[in-house]
Amino acid sequence: MAELRLEHIYKTYKGGVEAVKDLNLTVKNGEFLALLGPSGCGKTSTLRMIVGLESITRGEMYIGDRLVNKLEPNARNVALAFETYALYPPLRVWENIAFCLRAKSIPPEEIHRRVMEVATMLDIANILERKPSELGGGEKQRVSLARALVRDPDVFLMDEPLSHLDAAQRANMRVEFKRLHAQTGRTTILVTHDQLEAVAMAERIAVMNFGVLQQVGSFEEVYNHPTNEFVAGFIGEPPMNFLPGKPVSENGATVLDAKDGSFRIRLPDAAGAKVQTSKAELVDLGIRPVHLEVTRGEPELGKLEIAATVVTYEDLGEEGQLAAKVSETNVLVVTPLI
Amino acid sequence: MENKSGSHRLAAVLSDAVLIAYFIFALFPIVWMLLISLKPGEELFTTRFVFHPTLDNYQAILFGDPRAAAGVVAKQEFPRYFLNSLILATGSVVVSLLFGVPAAYALARYKFKGKEDLAFTFLSFRFAPELVVIIPLAVLYRQLGLYDTYWGMIWVLQLVTLPLLIWVLRSYFEDISPDIEQAAMIDGYPWWRIFWNILLPLVRPGLAAAALLAFIFAWNSFIFPLVLGASNTTTVTVAALGYLSSAQSFFNRMAAAAVISSIPQIVLALSIQRYLIRGLSFGAVKG
């Protein structure tokens, strides 16, 4: 177990595509961190650089005190659970798990003990004699985890580990991942595009986009205090609404004025001050769909009002989703069932 | 219900009949060859079916003809030709495996300039008619001293065996996820061990099927050994022709030679039959 430290990491591919730009990130010893972002954001390149399957163009990477830039994958003592599981088809489950131990000339009794230990931990002791082709998706996933954990890695990485499982198995494995992390206390990095996974499992979330790290923090931080519009729009489901407007100073307060006069909203003082100092001509007001409410007639005291035209309403079973238009902008509202 | 099962039965009978007809059609030349090989010379050209089986023809080609008239080539050298065929076909397949497996892997895994052109060039070796290249090759072989040598023959037979192996195996390697190799790299294995322990078992059906077919094609090859080989490297395909001459045509001995030379192929095909169907259809179906 060790801390993972990325310092000014760059990845530039042949042809000049910059997949990762100036990435600084520290994953504390024993921490469970999720690397979250849309596809093409650089999270997989980052993962592959950590594991050593991809060279680091610039910057320094440390595992504990060791500079690992130039180390081969197996010398880094990291483990990766692949999205496709990547089990070795010709080998039985037992051999799959023992494969990495065999490479290191560990005595057979020790191999046996360690394989049985992870097999018990992951509840796969009963399928050790089978071939990967005879396993279901969930079982494959467990075997791939066992194979990664048996080597006792300093850093444990998972690449979209749940994407090939059905909903029930997913919920199951999420619990399993948390339990494993609590049990082993290993430094763990989860790479995913699914914020639900990230939120459910990780202690901290690192949000990436266009090869740049946008924000690192707990869910509470990235949800309530996003550093930029991308994080605000990416975190939260359904995504945040953005209403463009012109900031106007009025009696010392800042008021956001829609171009066509469809709404006028007085901004909270802190936000208003920020907008004033930025001297922006046009700003986007972000409001989460869960913070909007549908009302008729006069607004309640202390609430702000925006007039909107309803476009559609979807009944999602437990809640409703109302799509509306405020001038030219689409706005989504999460409502109780009608 | 009854009607339905009736039409089912009719369909079954019909399909059986078609299969049997094809079976007879496909097997007839082989049966005919067997029959001729067991006939004495005077029964070959009769209008009625006369058949007094004899092993004389086999004896003649394997051990020499005691009654051979002067001037007729004694064909007791047939065992040597058989051995030649065996050496050349096996050698060609072994050399093709040595070069074809890595080539197929490289064509499947790596991106490099002119990759598709290179792959297509390999394929074109297979479909370019042998007659097109045979004259320049013959000139070259004489100049290089490769004419009528084992190495020369094995080399030229690569035109037959190598493209087949490369193309079948390439699609096999393409179907294996690179993740598996990367997982093994992280597990700390050198590349050749990953290849040997993980990849090779996965491509084995294709390997077996392609190698068998390559062997058969090399064994059947006629033009190359005829033009580029002589007494040292005569193969059974060329030798069989030797039974027909302007003086006398031993169709029955030729048939006996053909029967014997088909034995290795039949044995091989039967022994790896289970790989054959799976092996070739697997690679072929995907587009």
Side-chain angles (χ1 to χ4, degrees), chain A residues 48 51 74 82 84 86 88-90 99-100 102-103 147 151, chain B residues 177 179-180 182-189 197-198 201-202:
Chain A
R48 291 172 65 85
V51 177
N74 62 310
F82 284 83
T84 56
Y88 310 125
F99 201 65
C100 70
R102 292 235 172 110
R147 187 178 65 180
R151 45 190 307 167
Chain B
S177 160
D179 283 355
I180 290 178
Q182 288 170 357
M185 263 169 69
I186 299 172
D187 274 349
Y189 279 84
N197 289 1
I198 306 292
L202 288 175

PDB file of all heavy atoms in Angstrom, chain A residues 48 51 74 82 84 86 88-90 99-100 102-103 147 151, chain B residues 177 179-180 182-189 197-198 201-202:
ATOM      1  N   ARG A  48      -3.853   4.137 -17.830  1.00  0.00           N
ATOM      2  CA  ARG A  48      -2.848   3.322 -18.513  1.00  0.00           C
ATOM      3  C   ARG A  48      -1.429   3.802 -18.219  1.00  0.00           C
ATOM      4  O   ARG A  48      -0.491   3.022 -18.204  1.00  0.00           O
ATOM      5  CB  ARG A  48      -3.123   3.308 -20.018  1.00  0.00           C
ATOM      6  CG  ARG A  48      -4.392   2.526 -20.364  1.00  0.00           C
ATOM      7  CD  ARG A  48      -4.760   2.673 -21.820  1.00  0.00           C
ATOM      8  NE  ARG A  48      -3.747   2.085 -22.680  1.00  0.00           N
ATOM      9  CZ  ARG A  48      -3.698   0.807 -23.007  1.00  0.00           C
ATOM     10  NH1 ARG A  48      -4.612  -0.014 -22.560  1.00  0.00           N
ATOM     11  NH2 ARG A  48      -2.755   0.350 -23.782  1.00  0.00           N
ATOM     12  N   VAL A  51      -0.598   2.426 -14.731  1.00  0.00           N
ATOM     13  CA  VAL A  51      -0.292   0.995 -14.762  1.00  0.00           C
ATOM     14  C   VAL A  51       1.017   0.733 -15.505  1.00  0.00           C
ATOM     15  O   VAL A  51       1.723  -0.227 -15.197  1.00  0.00           O
ATOM     16  CB  VAL A  51      -1.453   0.234 -15.442  1.00  0.00           C
ATOM     17  CG1 VAL A  51      -1.134  -1.237 -15.557  1.00  0.00           C
ATOM     18  CG2 VAL A  51      -2.716   0.435 -14.650  1.00  0.00           C
ATOM     19  N   ASN A  74       5.027  -4.633 -14.478  1.00  0.00           N
ATOM     20  CA  ASN A  74       5.083  -5.592 -13.371  1.00  0.00           C
ATOM     21  C   ASN A  74       5.996  -5.118 -12.241  1.00  0.00           C
ATOM     22  O   ASN A  74       5.891  -5.584 -11.120  1.00  0.00           O
ATOM     23  CB  ASN A  74       5.545  -6.963 -13.889  1.00  0.00           C
ATOM     24  CG  ASN A  74       6.936  -6.900 -14.484  1.00  0.00           C
ATOM     25  OD1 ASN A  74       7.227  -6.048 -15.304  1.00  0.00           O
ATOM     26  ND2 ASN A  74       7.784  -7.803 -14.047  1.00  0.00           N
ATOM     27  N   PHE A  82      -9.551  -5.164 -15.539  1.00  0.00           N
ATOM     28  CA  PHE A  82      -9.919  -4.650 -16.856  1.00  0.00           C
ATOM     29  C   PHE A  82     -11.432  -4.581 -17.029  1.00  0.00           C
ATOM     30  O   PHE A  82     -12.172  -5.373 -16.450  1.00  0.00           O
ATOM     31  CB  PHE A  82      -9.355  -5.566 -17.944  1.00  0.00           C
ATOM     32  CG  PHE A  82      -7.889  -5.411 -18.174  1.00  0.00           C
ATOM     33  CD1 PHE A  82      -6.982  -6.074 -17.369  1.00  0.00           C
ATOM     34  CD2 PHE A  82      -7.403  -4.605 -19.182  1.00  0.00           C
ATOM     35  CE1 PHE A  82      -5.628  -5.938 -17.571  1.00  0.00           C
ATOM     36  CE2 PHE A  82      -6.052  -4.459 -19.396  1.00  0.00           C
ATOM     37  CZ  PHE A  82      -5.164  -5.130 -18.591  1.00  0.00           C
ATOM     38  N   THR A  84     -12.950  -5.443 -19.666  1.00  0.00           N
ATOM     39  CA  THR A  84     -13.362  -6.685 -20.327  1.00  0.00           C
ATOM     40  C   THR A  84     -12.955  -7.919 -19.529  1.00  0.00           C
ATOM     41  O   THR A  84     -13.001  -9.019 -20.035  1.00  0.00           O
ATOM     42  CB  THR A  84     -12.708  -6.780 -21.713  1.00  0.00           C
ATOM     43  OG1 THR A  84     -11.291  -6.669 -21.539  1.00  0.00           O
ATOM     44  CG2 THR A  84     -13.178  -5.690 -22.630  1.00  0.00           C
ATOM     45  N   ALA A  86     -10.512  -9.567 -19.180  1.00  0.00           N
ATOM     46  CA  ALA A  86      -9.239 -10.057 -19.730  1.00  0.00           C
ATOM     47  C   ALA A  86      -8.716 -11.262 -18.984  1.00  0.00           C
ATOM     48  O   ALA A  86      -7.529 -11.349 -18.694  1.00  0.00           O
ATOM     49  CB  ALA A  86      -8.198  -8.942 -19.750  1.00  0.00           C
ATOM     50  N   TYR A  88      -7.531 -15.154 -18.714  1.00  0.00           N
ATOM     51  CA  TYR A  88      -6.812 -15.963 -19.690  1.00  0.00           C
ATOM     52  C   TYR A  88      -7.666 -17.176 -20.050  1.00  0.00           C
ATOM     53  O   TYR A  88      -7.820 -18.081 -19.235  1.00  0.00           O
ATOM     54  CB  TYR A  88      -5.470 -16.420 -19.119  1.00  0.00           C
ATOM     55  CG  TYR A  88      -4.665 -15.299 -18.509  1.00  0.00           C
ATOM     56  CD1 TYR A  88      -4.203 -15.361 -17.205  1.00  0.00           C
ATOM     57  CD2 TYR A  88      -4.376 -14.163 -19.255  1.00  0.00           C
ATOM     58  CE1 TYR A  88      -3.470 -14.321 -16.656  1.00  0.00           C
ATOM     59  CE2 TYR A  88      -3.653 -13.122 -18.706  1.00  0.00           C
ATOM     60  CZ  TYR A  88      -3.202 -13.209 -17.403  1.00  0.00           C
ATOM     61  OH  TYR A  88      -2.485 -12.179 -16.864  1.00  0.00           O
ATOM     62  N   PRO A  89      -8.226 -17.196 -21.255  1.00  0.00           N
ATOM     63  CA  PRO A  89      -9.200 -18.251 -21.590  1.00  0.00           C
ATOM     64  C   PRO A  89      -8.666 -19.679 -21.472  1.00  0.00           C
ATOM     65  O   PRO A  89      -9.419 -20.568 -21.104  1.00  0.00           O
ATOM     66  CB  PRO A  89      -9.598 -17.936 -23.034  1.00  0.00           C
ATOM     67  CG  PRO A  89      -9.185 -16.539 -23.258  1.00  0.00           C
ATOM     68  CD  PRO A  89      -8.012 -16.284 -22.366  1.00  0.00           C
ATOM     69  N   PRO A  90      -7.383 -19.958 -21.805  1.00  0.00           N
ATOM     70  CA  PRO A  90      -6.971 -21.360 -21.739  1.00  0.00           C
ATOM     71  C   PRO A  90      -6.765 -21.853 -20.303  1.00  0.00           C
ATOM     72  O   PRO A  90      -6.656 -23.058 -20.101  1.00  0.00           O
ATOM     73  CB  PRO A  90      -5.634 -21.397 -22.488  1.00  0.00           C
ATOM     74  CG  PRO A  90      -5.426 -20.049 -23.050  1.00  0.00           C
ATOM     75  CD  PRO A  90      -6.300 -19.115 -22.317  1.00  0.00           C
ATOM     76  N   PHE A  99      -1.499 -16.946 -11.743  1.00  0.00           N
ATOM     77  CA  PHE A  99      -0.588 -16.664 -12.861  1.00  0.00           C
ATOM     78  C   PHE A  99       0.506 -15.666 -12.487  1.00  0.00           C
ATOM     79  O   PHE A  99       1.680 -15.887 -12.765  1.00  0.00           O
ATOM     80  CB  PHE A  99      -1.409 -16.135 -14.045  1.00  0.00           C
ATOM     81  CG  PHE A  99      -0.725 -16.270 -15.373  1.00  0.00           C
ATOM     82  CD1 PHE A  99      -0.439 -17.512 -15.902  1.00  0.00           C
ATOM     83  CD2 PHE A  99      -0.374 -15.144 -16.113  1.00  0.00           C
ATOM     84  CE1 PHE A  99       0.171 -17.635 -17.140  1.00  0.00           C
ATOM     85  CE2 PHE A  99       0.237 -15.266 -17.347  1.00  0.00           C
ATOM     86  CZ  PHE A  99       0.515 -16.513 -17.856  1.00  0.00           C
ATOM     87  N   CYS A 100       0.125 -14.575 -11.828  1.00  0.00           N
ATOM     88  CA  CYS A 100       1.117 -13.540 -11.532  1.00  0.00           C
ATOM     89  C   CYS A 100       2.067 -13.993 -10.432  1.00  0.00           C
ATOM     90  O   CYS A 100       3.222 -13.585 -10.403  1.00  0.00           O
ATOM     91  CB  CYS A 100       0.434 -12.240 -11.157  1.00  0.00           C
ATOM     92  SG  CYS A 100      -0.384 -12.314  -9.575  1.00  0.00           S
ATOM     93  N   ARG A 102       3.067 -17.070 -10.019  1.00  0.00           N
ATOM     94  CA  ARG A 102       3.982 -18.024 -10.658  1.00  0.00           C
ATOM     95  C   ARG A 102       5.135 -17.303 -11.344  1.00  0.00           C
ATOM     96  O   ARG A 102       6.223 -17.845 -11.464  1.00  0.00           O
ATOM     97  CB  ARG A 102       3.221 -18.829 -11.707  1.00  0.00           C
ATOM     98  CG  ARG A 102       2.201 -19.768 -11.087  1.00  0.00           C
ATOM     99  CD  ARG A 102       2.431 -21.173 -11.559  1.00  0.00           C
ATOM    100  NE  ARG A 102       1.597 -22.105 -10.830  1.00  0.00           N
ATOM    101  CZ  ARG A 102       0.574 -22.741 -11.365  1.00  0.00           C
ATOM    102  NH1 ARG A 102       0.278 -22.555 -12.625  1.00  0.00           N
ATOM    103  NH2 ARG A 102      -0.140 -23.575 -10.647  1.00  0.00           N
ATOM    104  N   ALA A 103       4.861 -16.078 -11.810  1.00  0.00           N
ATOM    105  CA  ALA A 103       5.916 -15.342 -12.507  1.00  0.00           C
ATOM    106  C   ALA A 103       7.035 -14.954 -11.549  1.00  0.00           C
ATOM    107  O   ALA A 103       8.130 -14.642 -11.973  1.00  0.00           O
ATOM    108  CB  ALA A 103       5.335 -14.095 -13.166  1.00  0.00           C
ATOM    109  N   ARG A 147      -7.731 -11.888  -9.225  1.00  0.00           N
ATOM    110  CA  ARG A 147      -6.436 -11.928  -9.889  1.00  0.00           C
ATOM    111  C   ARG A 147      -5.655 -10.651  -9.613  1.00  0.00           C
ATOM    112  O   ARG A 147      -4.429 -10.658  -9.487  1.00  0.00           O
ATOM    113  CB  ARG A 147      -6.647 -12.090 -11.397  1.00  0.00           C
ATOM    114  CG  ARG A 147      -5.368 -12.312 -12.146  1.00  0.00           C
ATOM    115  CD  ARG A 147      -5.618 -12.504 -13.603  1.00  0.00           C
ATOM    116  NE  ARG A 147      -6.162 -11.290 -14.219  1.00  0.00           N
ATOM    117  CZ  ARG A 147      -6.466 -11.185 -15.499  1.00  0.00           C
ATOM    118  NH1 ARG A 147      -6.328 -12.221 -16.287  1.00  0.00           N
ATOM    119  NH2 ARG A 147      -6.941 -10.069 -15.993  1.00  0.00           N
ATOM    120  N   ARG A 151      -1.960 -10.293  -5.883  1.00  0.00           N
ATOM    121  CA  ARG A 151      -0.555  -9.889  -5.911  1.00  0.00           C
ATOM    122  C   ARG A 151      -0.234  -8.848  -4.879  1.00  0.00           C
ATOM    123  O   ARG A 151       0.888  -8.365  -4.816  1.00  0.00           O
ATOM    124  CB  ARG A 151      -0.217  -9.376  -7.295  1.00  0.00           C
ATOM    125  CG  ARG A 151      -1.283  -8.433  -7.817  1.00  0.00           C
ATOM    126  CD  ARG A 151      -1.061  -8.132  -9.237  1.00  0.00           C
ATOM    127  NE  ARG A 151       0.305  -7.666  -9.354  1.00  0.00           N
ATOM    128  CZ  ARG A 151       0.937  -7.529 -10.488  1.00  0.00           C
ATOM    129  NH1 ARG A 151       0.329  -7.841 -11.583  1.00  0.00           N
ATOM    130  NH2 ARG A 151       2.149  -7.071 -10.514  1.00  0.00           N
TER     131      ARG A 151
ATOM    132  N   SER B 177      -8.616 -10.281 -27.461  1.00  0.00           N
ATOM    133  CA  SER B 177      -8.523  -8.926 -26.933  1.00  0.00           C
ATOM    134  C   SER B 177      -7.090  -8.613 -26.497  1.00  0.00           C
ATOM    135  O   SER B 177      -6.460  -9.406 -25.801  1.00  0.00           O
ATOM    136  CB  SER B 177      -9.478  -8.790 -25.746  1.00  0.00           C
ATOM    137  OG  SER B 177      -9.096  -7.697 -24.962  1.00  0.00           O
ATOM    138  N   ASP B 179      -6.309  -6.714 -24.305  1.00  0.00           N
ATOM    139  CA  ASP B 179      -6.341  -6.629 -22.840  1.00  0.00           C
ATOM    140  C   ASP B 179      -5.690  -7.844 -22.207  1.00  0.00           C
ATOM    141  O   ASP B 179      -5.033  -7.744 -21.169  1.00  0.00           O
ATOM    142  CB  ASP B 179      -7.791  -6.545 -22.341  1.00  0.00           C
ATOM    143  CG  ASP B 179      -8.371  -5.164 -22.535  1.00  0.00           C
ATOM    144  OD1 ASP B 179      -7.621  -4.278 -22.966  1.00  0.00           O
ATOM    145  OD2 ASP B 179      -9.564  -4.982 -22.261  1.00  0.00           O
ATOM    146  N   ILE B 180      -5.898  -9.008 -22.820  1.00  0.00           N
ATOM    147  CA  ILE B 180      -5.368 -10.233 -22.238  1.00  0.00           C
ATOM    148  C   ILE B 180      -3.847 -10.183 -22.187  1.00  0.00           C
ATOM    149  O   ILE B 180      -3.231 -10.517 -21.178  1.00  0.00           O
ATOM    150  CB  ILE B 180      -5.859 -11.454 -23.047  1.00  0.00           C
ATOM    151  CG1 ILE B 180      -7.357 -11.633 -22.800  1.00  0.00           C
ATOM    152  CG2 ILE B 180      -5.114 -12.713 -22.650  1.00  0.00           C
ATOM    153  CD1 ILE B 180      -7.964 -12.764 -23.579  1.00  0.00           C
ATOM    154  N   GLN B 182      -2.091  -7.475 -22.154  1.00  0.00           N
ATOM    155  CA  GLN B 182      -1.667  -6.432 -21.220  1.00  0.00           C
ATOM    156  C   GLN B 182      -1.804  -6.914 -19.782  1.00  0.00           C
ATOM    157  O   GLN B 182      -0.957  -6.605 -18.937  1.00  0.00           O
ATOM    158  CB  GLN B 182      -2.488  -5.172 -21.467  1.00  0.00           C
ATOM    159  CG  GLN B 182      -2.070  -4.527 -22.772  1.00  0.00           C
ATOM    160  CD  GLN B 182      -2.993  -3.424 -23.208  1.00  0.00           C
ATOM    161  OE1 GLN B 182      -4.006  -3.157 -22.572  1.00  0.00           O
ATOM    162  NE2 GLN B 182      -2.649  -2.782 -24.298  1.00  0.00           N
ATOM    163  N   ALA B 183      -2.855  -7.678 -19.532  1.00  0.00           N
ATOM    164  CA  ALA B 183      -3.015  -8.237 -18.189  1.00  0.00           C
ATOM    165  C   ALA B 183      -1.818  -9.109 -17.845  1.00  0.00           C
ATOM    166  O   ALA B 183      -1.283  -9.045 -16.735  1.00  0.00           O
ATOM    167  CB  ALA B 183      -4.308  -9.054 -18.118  1.00  0.00           C
ATOM    168  N   ALA B 184      -1.370  -9.901 -18.816  1.00  0.00           N
ATOM    169  CA  ALA B 184      -0.234 -10.780 -18.564  1.00  0.00           C
ATOM    170  C   ALA B 184       1.053  -9.979 -18.408  1.00  0.00           C
ATOM    171  O   ALA B 184       1.950 -10.358 -17.653  1.00  0.00           O
ATOM    172  CB  ALA B 184      -0.098 -11.796 -19.695  1.00  0.00           C
ATOM    173  N   MET B 185       1.124  -8.838 -19.106  1.00  0.00           N
ATOM    174  CA  MET B 185       2.298  -7.981 -18.939  1.00  0.00           C
ATOM    175  C   MET B 185       2.357  -7.434 -17.520  1.00  0.00           C
ATOM    176  O   MET B 185       3.423  -7.391 -16.897  1.00  0.00           O
ATOM    177  CB  MET B 185       2.229  -6.804 -19.912  1.00  0.00           C
ATOM    178  CG  MET B 185       3.007  -7.002 -21.190  1.00  0.00           C
ATOM    179  SD  MET B 185       2.570  -5.713 -22.353  1.00  0.00           S
ATOM    180  CE  MET B 185       3.304  -4.291 -21.556  1.00  0.00           C
ATOM    181  N   ILE B 186       1.200  -7.008 -17.030  1.00  0.00           N
ATOM    182  CA  ILE B 186       1.157  -6.489 -15.663  1.00  0.00           C
ATOM    183  C   ILE B 186       1.487  -7.606 -14.681  1.00  0.00           C
ATOM    184  O   ILE B 186       2.115  -7.391 -13.650  1.00  0.00           O
ATOM    185  CB  ILE B 186      -0.237  -5.896 -15.352  1.00  0.00           C
ATOM    186  CG1 ILE B 186      -0.522  -4.742 -16.301  1.00  0.00           C
ATOM    187  CG2 ILE B 186      -0.318  -5.423 -13.910  1.00  0.00           C
ATOM    188  CD1 ILE B 186      -1.928  -4.223 -16.206  1.00  0.00           C
ATOM    189  N   ASP B 187       1.069  -8.815 -15.029  1.00  0.00           N
ATOM    190  CA  ASP B 187       1.365  -9.960 -14.178  1.00  0.00           C
ATOM    191  C   ASP B 187       2.843 -10.327 -14.209  1.00  0.00           C
ATOM    192  O   ASP B 187       3.288 -11.171 -13.438  1.00  0.00           O
ATOM    193  CB  ASP B 187       0.532 -11.170 -14.606  1.00  0.00           C
ATOM    194  CG  ASP B 187      -0.844 -11.160 -13.958  1.00  0.00           C
ATOM    195  OD1 ASP B 187      -1.039 -10.338 -13.053  1.00  0.00           O
ATOM    196  OD2 ASP B 187      -1.697 -11.959 -14.342  1.00  0.00           O
ATOM    197  N   GLY B 188       3.585  -9.721 -15.117  1.00  0.00           N
ATOM    198  CA  GLY B 188       5.028  -9.885 -15.077  1.00  0.00           C
ATOM    199  C   GLY B 188       5.577 -10.978 -15.967  1.00  0.00           C
ATOM    200  O   GLY B 188       6.590 -11.586 -15.635  1.00  0.00           O
ATOM    201  N   TYR B 189       4.921 -11.208 -17.091  1.00  0.00           N
ATOM    202  CA  TYR B 189       5.429 -12.237 -17.988  1.00  0.00           C
ATOM    203  C   TYR B 189       6.111 -11.611 -19.194  1.00  0.00           C
ATOM    204  O   TYR B 189       5.635 -10.601 -19.714  1.00  0.00           O
ATOM    205  CB  TYR B 189       4.284 -13.144 -18.453  1.00  0.00           C
ATOM    206  CG  TYR B 189       3.947 -14.179 -17.428  1.00  0.00           C
ATOM    207  CD1 TYR B 189       3.087 -13.879 -16.390  1.00  0.00           C
ATOM    208  CD2 TYR B 189       4.524 -15.436 -17.474  1.00  0.00           C
ATOM    209  CE1 TYR B 189       2.794 -14.816 -15.417  1.00  0.00           C
ATOM    210  CE2 TYR B 189       4.232 -16.375 -16.509  1.00  0.00           C
ATOM    211  CZ  TYR B 189       3.366 -16.062 -15.480  1.00  0.00           C
ATOM    212  OH  TYR B 189       3.097 -16.993 -14.533  1.00  0.00           O
ATOM    213  N   ASN B 197       1.956 -19.336 -23.666  1.00  0.00           N
ATOM    214  CA  ASN B 197       1.005 -19.894 -22.689  1.00  0.00           C
ATOM    215  C   ASN B 197      -0.432 -19.477 -22.921  1.00  0.00           C
ATOM    216  O   ASN B 197      -1.357 -20.193 -22.564  1.00  0.00           O
ATOM    217  CB  ASN B 197       1.389 -19.462 -21.264  1.00  0.00           C
ATOM    218  CG  ASN B 197       2.642 -20.152 -20.790  1.00  0.00           C
ATOM    219  OD1 ASN B 197       3.234 -20.930 -21.514  1.00  0.00           O
ATOM    220  ND2 ASN B 197       3.058 -19.857 -19.590  1.00  0.00           N
ATOM    221  N   ILE B 198      -0.633 -18.280 -23.463  1.00  0.00           N
ATOM    222  CA  ILE B 198      -1.993 -17.746 -23.540  1.00  0.00           C
ATOM    223  C   ILE B 198      -2.488 -17.684 -24.983  1.00  0.00           C
ATOM    224  O   ILE B 198      -3.562 -18.174 -25.310  1.00  0.00           O
ATOM    225  CB  ILE B 198      -2.057 -16.330 -22.940  1.00  0.00           C
ATOM    226  CG1 ILE B 198      -1.482 -16.332 -21.526  1.00  0.00           C
ATOM    227  CG2 ILE B 198      -3.482 -15.813 -22.948  1.00  0.00           C
ATOM    228  CD1 ILE B 198      -2.280 -17.068 -20.511  1.00  0.00           C
ATOM    229  N   PRO B 201      -2.512 -21.327 -27.319  1.00  0.00           N
ATOM    230  CA  PRO B 201      -3.653 -22.231 -27.099  1.00  0.00           C
ATOM    231  C   PRO B 201      -4.947 -21.691 -27.703  1.00  0.00           C
ATOM    232  O   PRO B 201      -5.806 -22.453 -28.132  1.00  0.00           O
ATOM    233  CB  PRO B 201      -3.763 -22.309 -25.570  1.00  0.00           C
ATOM    234  CG  PRO B 201      -2.422 -21.954 -25.075  1.00  0.00           C
ATOM    235  CD  PRO B 201      -1.847 -20.985 -26.057  1.00  0.00           C
ATOM    236  N   LEU B 202      -5.076 -20.354 -27.754  1.00  0.00           N
ATOM    237  CA  LEU B 202      -6.309 -19.767 -28.281  1.00  0.00           C
ATOM    238  C   LEU B 202      -6.405 -19.899 -29.792  1.00  0.00           C
ATOM    239  O   LEU B 202      -7.500 -19.984 -30.352  1.00  0.00           O
ATOM    240  CB  LEU B 202      -6.397 -18.289 -27.901  1.00  0.00           C
ATOM    241  CG  LEU B 202      -6.697 -18.012 -26.435  1.00  0.00           C
ATOM    242  CD1 LEU B 202      -6.646 -16.522 -26.170  1.00  0.00           C
ATOM    243  CD2 LEU B 202      -8.052 -18.560 -26.064  1.00  0.00           C
TER     244      LEU B 202
END
